[in-house]
């Protein structure tokens, strides 16, 4: 079941992006991160590590966890990703400049996986469609960089963001216009293929 969707559009959005980002302001970003920190103060990582934190009431599928490092200028943040697309899926960090040109949705992955942020569509004119960053439809978004009070950090999306709107705000909150995402790409075959078929049937 698709819970919602949001579009981070193409080059035509560059003019409105500056106004949109300005309208966010530190107050909105602080509110976003403040809400995220209700679960744990380590969800926003400026440097160092943060482990996985399952949503209350969601039994995560037993899967192999992987440490992923996101570069933050002279520092780095380490996020621990619990795979949702099967043990053979690929987890990696991709980076690009706004606008990304992604339509993101939240799907119900079932009682073992929980709500999951998935790229529903790659839109023309954005960094993904232009080949600047390797993101495809069906990719799962586990982590994202954002800026809070002038500091660049990283968030674990499934623990820190409760909606597509919150994830979109975090993406747009990168003041320097450069965004890094931690994505998981299910393997074609086995559980990965089953995940892709499940996601495709929900759109």
């Amino acid at each position: 079941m698709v819970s919602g969707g949001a579009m981070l559009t193409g080059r035509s959005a560059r003019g409105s992006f500056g106004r949109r980002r300005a309208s966010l302001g530190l107050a909105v970003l602080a509110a976003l991160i403040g809400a995220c920190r209700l679960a744990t103060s380590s969800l926003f990582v400026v440097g160092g590590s943060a482990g996985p934190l399952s949503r209350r009431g969601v039994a995560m599928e037993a899967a192999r966890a992987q440490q992923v490092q996101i570069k933050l200028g002279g520092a780095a943040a380490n996020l621990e990703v619990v795979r949702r697309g099967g043990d053979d899926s690929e987890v990696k960090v991709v980076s690009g400049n706004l606008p990304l040109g992604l339509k993101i949705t939240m799907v119900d992955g079932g009682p073992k996986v929980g709500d999951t942020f998935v790229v529903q569509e790659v839109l023309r004119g954005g960094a993904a469609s232009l080949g600047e960053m390797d993101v495809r439809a069906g990719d799962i978004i586990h982590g994202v960089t954002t800026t809070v009070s002038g500091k660049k950090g990283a968030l674990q999306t499934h623990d820190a963001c409760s909606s597509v709107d919150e994830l979109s705000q975090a993406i747009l909150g990168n003041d320097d216009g450069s965004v890094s995402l931690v994505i998981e790409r299910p393997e074609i075959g086995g559980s990965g293929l089953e995940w892709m078929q499940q996601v495709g049937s929900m759109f």
Side-chain angles (χ1 to χ4, degrees):
M1 174 178 174
V2 176
S3 301
M7 292 183 290
L8 303 177
T9 54
R11 298 293 178 186
S12 62
R14 283 198 181 277
S16 61
F17 163 66
R19 295 190 297 273
R20 184 184 310 168
R21 189 175 65 183
S23 67
L24 286 175
L26 292 178
V28 175
L29 286 175
L32 169 64
I33 304 306
C36 296
R37 285 177 173 173
L38 290 177
T40 174
S41 60
S42 66
L43 290 179
F44 179 71
V45 185
V46 176
S49 303
L53 178 69
S54 300
R55 287 189 184 277
R56 188 166 46 184
V58 174
M60 296 297 295
E61 180 181 10
R64 179 164 51 95
Q66 177 176 338
Q67 286 281 344
V68 179
Q69 185 177 84
I70 304 177
K71 294 181 180 179
L72 303 170
N78 296 311
L79 300 182
E80 191 168 282
V81 173
V82 177
R83 297 167 185 267
R84 297 180 176 219
D87 284 342
D88 294 329
S89 62
E90 178 186 12
V91 175
K92 61 181 180 178
V93 178
V94 295
S95 299
N97 294 315
L98 292 169
L100 302 185
L102 301 176
K103 185 175 183 181
I104 301 170
T105 191
M106 178 186 282
V107 300
D108 182 1
K112 291 186 178 181
V113 177
D115 293 337
T116 301
F117 292 110
V118 177
V119 177
Q120 180 177 345
E121 183 181 358
V122 174
L123 305 173
R124 294 180 61 183
S129 70
L130 294 174
E132 184 180 335
M133 64 190 312
D134 181 18
V135 179
R136 306 175 190 174
D139 286 350
I140 303 165
I141 302 177
H142 284 278
V144 61
T145 56
T146 193
T147 306
V148 178
S149 300
K151 294 184 178 181
K152 188 99 167 184
L155 293 173
Q156 294 171 309
T157 58
H158 297 114
D159 298 327
C161 302
S162 61
S163 68
V164 173
D165 286 341
E166 286 189 2
L167 174 55
S168 298
Q169 296 289 346
I171 292 173
L172 293 171
N174 285 270
D175 287 346
D176 58 1
S178 178
V179 184
S180 292
L181 302 176
V182 179
I183 63 168
E184 177 185 359
R185 181 167 298 156
E187 185 72 19
I188 301 302
S191 59
L193 179 58
E194 293 172 4
W195 168 263
M196 294 291 287
Q197 291 172 337
Q198 179 186 12
V199 171
S201 69
M202 294 176 181
F203 296 149

